[in-house]
Amino acid sequence: MTTEPALVSNFLRTIIDNDLKSGQYQGRQWAPPPSPAAVRLAGAIDPARIRTRFPPEPNGYLHIGHAKSICLNFGLARDYQGICHLRFDDTNPEKEEDEYVRAIIELVQWLGFSWTVDGAEHQYFASDYFETLYQFAESLVQAGHAYVDEQSADQMRATRGTLTEPGTNSPWRDRPMAESLALLRDMRAGKYPDGALALRARIDMGSPNINLRDPVLYRIRHASHHRTGDAWCIYPMYSWAHPVEDALEGITHSICTLEFEDQRPYYDWILERLTELGQLAAPLPRQYEFARLNLSYVVTSKRKLRQLVLEGHVQGWDDPRLPTLAGLRRRGYTPGSIRLFCDRIGVSKADSRIDYSVLEQALRDDLDPVAARAVAVLDPIKLIITNFPADLTEPCSAPVNPHDHDGPRREFPLTRELWIERDDFREDPPKKYFRLFPGNLVRLKYGYVVRCTGFLKNEQGEITEVHCEYLPETRSGTPGADAIKVKGAITWVSAAHAVAAEVRLYDRLFREAHPDRGDQDFLQAINPDSCRTVQGWLEPGIQAEPGHCWQFERLGYFVADRHDSSIERPVINRAITLRDTWI
């Protein structure tokens, strides 16, 4: 695939450069997590110059937006001799499953990244830290920084205030520390039903930042967890667990998308309070935000993707029309093309929308230098060379890849009866049409120049056969090849030797660039022609092993379907056309 592009500076690299120059993280200690202050300070000097993390919640399948974060976090760690952790933020037992964990691991590795460094595997789970998180919560209660609230979720929401009006203190905000601590322990022991109590941080109900208005730390959920089973019935809120997890893993640069910018003061408050209590050791992680990926012609909302799958608008999470990484892989996108795309769109703090064509062009640029060439006919009509002997099979050849001048060649037979694209013949051609029409000369690519002599129609007036004669002295690669100048060349396959294949012609799933803009129903923007299936004919010799990719000349890039294709029964997906047809 393509070589990795040269490094391009961005605001995150500037931050890291300055941090390293100042020695902010030099000499810090590290121990395998969870490592609170006592463990961290007893550890060895951290061999990683920086530590980043990719922290997905295992409640769905990764999509192209996640790829930007994966490439960014793993790429920065790689470029700065650091380590990137793969951490599963599994704090919500009602939505998370091992199936998603396995899928995430597989696709991060498929993208070309690893969390194993010098034999040490840096794959972690928030659930590994449940006990530590709970002990930290008790220390906040004991220090007066948290309390147990008996308001319902609706009551807390009503008293939280608005962006312009301050919140109202809970009647339980000043409950004695010992009482809150006892209630918290009873919550953990399972003595209360869901929603009866919640542990809240005591910060400032009058803060202009609504995230600092006594956010919830723990809620009661009598639900089985995919890793801890029924060991817990209280679970930490993501906004509480996330900064603590970063600190327990020795993360230096916690890189999030812009929607977390308003939560950064809360992130810092948590870490500062726990450091004051001796639970965490400096230097602390710092959070930085970048603009998430907004891509035209797709939706990346997990809720909307789930709706597309469950309602049958697509054929599963790896449907080639979806922006999931599993779908893109099945469509024919390569890890190199996705990394190239993420590099091209860059990193900034300003929201913008990237046109889907940028992703498509990255695939073309990644595949063009390496993809094997072949010929396929997807809308066939028979071409008969009337003066070509019926029993003659003449070998032709072409390079496997024209960029590899000294590379291998592929061979295929020329016979009397061929399949050509229906669009390569016109009974009544328009101006500047240079392919087959009565009396016109064209070249059969890699073969001879032929002259169209006629055609046949059926009772419905449809053309069923095109007839021509070949000029024997014009074979490609011979001195006579240039004797007759022609303006057009067409591709073909021998009717007797072609390989039959089911070909799925995928296109964009949505007709509109912003299918979920505003309140509009994104389902109404579905493209009814996003998948067409045709019976095609492939160049003989093609081995349609799952995942194998070709450039079908004049048509685009195609891949053998990962699930349905076999050598005996080829099923081919169109990844992308040779040119952008949506311009």
Side-chain angles (χ1 to χ4, degrees):
M1 299 302 171
T2 57
T3 56
E4 295 298 330
L7 299 183
V8 177
S9 183
N10 56 56
F11 78 98
L12 290 171
R13 290 185 181 275
T14 300
I15 289 170
I16 295 172
D17 287 338
N18 291 336
D19 287 345
L20 294 176
K21 185 177 180 180
S22 69
Q24 179 172 345
Y25 297 107
Q26 188 173 355
R28 74 190 188 285
Q29 292 152 296
W30 188 84
S35 51
V39 176
R40 175 68 48 77
L41 294 175
I45 298 299
D46 195 337
R49 298 179 74 203
I50 66 169
R51 284 185 185 265
T52 60
R53 81 288 174 272
F54 172 60
E57 182 183 0
N59 66 347
Y61 290 85
L62 298 180
H63 54 65
I64 187 63
H66 294 111
K68 181 177 180 180
S69 181
I70 294 168
C71 292
L72 177 59
N73 281 287
F74 279 94
L76 288 172
R78 174 199 62 210
D79 297 340
Y80 285 96
Q81 296 81 55
I83 294 174
C84 182
H85 298 183
L86 175 64
R87 181 177 72 232
F88 293 96
D89 269 319
D90 55 345
T91 60
N92 188 345
E94 296 168 311
K95 294 184 178 181
E96 296 153 357
E97 299 177 16
D98 286 335
E99 173 191 352
Y100 300 132
V101 172
R102 293 190 295 270
I104 289 168
I105 289 172
E106 178 189 3
L107 286 162
V108 174
Q109 291 175 328
W110 173 74
L111 274 178
F113 299 106
S114 173
W115 45 92
T116 301
V117 180
D118 295 330
E121 185 173 303
H122 297 279
Q123 177 184 305
Y124 306 108
F125 291 82
S127 51
D128 291 336
Y129 315 141
F130 277 176
E131 183 62 39
T132 304
L133 282 160
Y134 175 79
Q135 294 301 328
F136 284 4
E138 281 205 357
S139 71
L140 289 179
V141 173
Q142 292 168 333
H145 296 311
Y147 62 96
V148 172
D149 196 348
E150 295 185 30
Q151 293 183 109
S152 68
D154 288 340
Q155 289 172 325
M156 282 190 272
R157 193 176 300 111
T159 58
R160 195 182 185 196
T162 67
L163 294 176
T164 57
E165 298 177 351
T168 304
N169 286 351
S170 164
W172 311 103
R173 194 173 195 267
D174 295 323
R175 106 183 308 152
M177 177 274 291
E179 188 177 325
S180 279
L181 186 60
L183 287 171
L184 175 60
R185 290 172 177 172
D186 286 344
M187 287 168 58
R188 175 176 180 170
K191 295 183 179 180
Y192 294 94
D194 289 0
L197 302 173
L199 181 68
R200 298 179 71 178
R202 183 185 282 109
I203 307 179
D204 182 3
M205 290 300 293
S207 172
N209 186 334
I210 203 167
N211 295 289
L212 295 178
R213 296 177 188 173
D214 292 9
V216 173
L217 303 177
Y218 272 95
R219 77 284 203 205
I220 301 173
R221 288 288 184 276
H222 290 271
S224 184
H225 189 275
H226 74 109
R227 294 185 75 240
T228 61
D230 297 323
W232 292 86
C233 61
I234 60 171
Y235 291 95
M237 299 298 291
Y238 174 84
S239 55
W240 148 247
H242 185 75
V244 179
E245 295 161 23
D246 283 348
L248 292 175
E249 294 181 14
I251 299 303
T252 58
H253 299 81
S254 180
I255 301 170
C256 307
T257 46
L258 278 178
E259 62 262 35
F260 293 98
E261 186 173 29
D262 288 343
Q263 290 196 13
R264 193 192 326 144
Y266 179 41
Y267 181 102
D268 293 338
W269 183 92
I270 290 171
L271 298 184
E272 289 165 2
R273 298 295 81 74
L274 291 173
T275 302
E276 292 169 357
L277 295 172
Q279 301 287 10
L280 297 175
L284 296 172
R286 293 294 304 275
Q287 177 178 302
Y288 303 96
E289 306 84 20
F290 69 99
R292 68 184 301 168
L293 172 60
N294 297 304
L295 190 63
S296 65
Y297 295 99
V298 304
V299 296
T300 54
S301 158
K302 287 183 179 179
R303 178 183 62 82
K304 292 174 181 177
L305 291 173
R306 185 175 291 109
Q307 184 178 354
L308 287 170
V309 172
L310 296 182
E311 293 182 0
H313 301 288
V314 294
Q315 303 299 314
W317 288 100
D318 65 348
D319 187 295
R321 293 166 293 179
L322 287 181
T324 59
L325 293 185
L328 290 169
R329 177 175 64 176
R330 190 174 177 188
R331 174 79 170 256
Y333 278 82
T334 61
S337 68
I338 295 176
R339 294 195 302 267
L340 179 61
F341 167 71
C342 291
D343 180 77
R344 284 178 173 175
I345 62 176
V347 178
S348 74
K349 289 186 73 72
D351 273 324
S352 62
R353 186 170 290 272
I354 306 299
D355 193 80
Y356 197 84
S357 62
V358 179
L359 175 60
E360 293 174 324
Q361 190 58 46
L363 179 61
R364 294 186 186 101
D365 292 343
D366 190 56
L367 287 178
D368 178 61
V370 296
R373 272 41 171 187
V375 171
V377 176
L378 306 185
D379 186 12
I381 186 173
K382 187 160 285 187
L383 176 69
I384 299 178
I385 310 174
T386 55
N387 63 335
F388 197 90
D391 58 352
L392 178 62
T393 298
E394 189 164 335
C396 297
S397 71
V400 172
N401 186 297
H403 296 289
D404 186 359
H405 300 292
D406 299 321
R409 298 181 67 83
R410 63 189 208 269
E411 295 192 353
F412 41 89
L414 175 68
T415 55
R416 177 185 175 91
E417 295 189 2
L418 309 174
W419 292 116
I420 64 170
E421 290 287 347
R422 186 173 300 274
D423 195 48
D424 283 341
F425 174 78
R426 288 284 192 276
E427 177 184 3
D428 185 17
K431 290 183 178 180
K432 296 185 179 180
Y433 182 84
F434 299 123
R435 286 165 278 170
L436 273 176
F437 57 86
N440 193 42
L441 292 168
V442 300
R443 176 170 293 281
L444 298 177
K445 196 172 184 183
Y446 311 120
Y448 294 94
V449 172
V450 297
R451 176 185 289 109
C452 180
T453 58
F455 55 90
L456 298 179
K457 291 185 177 181
N458 60 19
E459 294 179 354
Q460 290 73 41
E462 300 168 330
I463 296 172
T464 57
E465 288 182 6
V466 178
H467 294 170
C468 68
E469 294 180 349
Y470 82 112
L471 282 60
E473 303 302 322
T474 62
R475 180 185 168 97
S476 294
T478 67
D482 297 326
I484 297 179
K485 302 295 183 181
V486 295
K487 293 184 177 180
I490 63 174
T491 49
W492 52 274
V493 292
S494 166
H497 300 85
V499 176
E502 176 184 324
V503 182
R504 298 167 181 171
L505 301 176
Y506 289 107
D507 206 337
R508 298 179 186 177
L509 182 58
F510 295 100
R511 294 170 297 182
E512 298 180 18
H514 312 305
D516 54 353
R517 171 186 286 169
D519 297 327
Q520 69 183 23
D521 181 1
F522 73 103
L523 297 178
Q524 297 301 311
I526 288 178
N527 176 11
D529 297 321
S530 61
C531 179
R532 294 188 298 114
T533 300
V534 300
Q535 184 68 33
W537 296 99
L538 312 182
E539 180 180 305
I542 280 184
Q543 301 290 306
E545 297 156 333
H548 194 79
C549 179
W550 308 266
Q551 184 198 104
F552 288 161
E553 298 187 26
R554 300 173 60 210
L555 298 176
Y557 293 96
F558 291 74
V559 63
D561 189 84
R562 295 178 61 86
H563 300 325
D564 301 334
S565 186
S566 65
I567 294 176
E568 297 76 21
R569 183 182 175 276
V571 177
I572 310 297
N573 299 334
R574 182 173 67 188
I576 189 66
T577 55
L578 288 180
R579 296 177 181 82
D580 185 358
T581 58
W582 285 69
I583 296 176

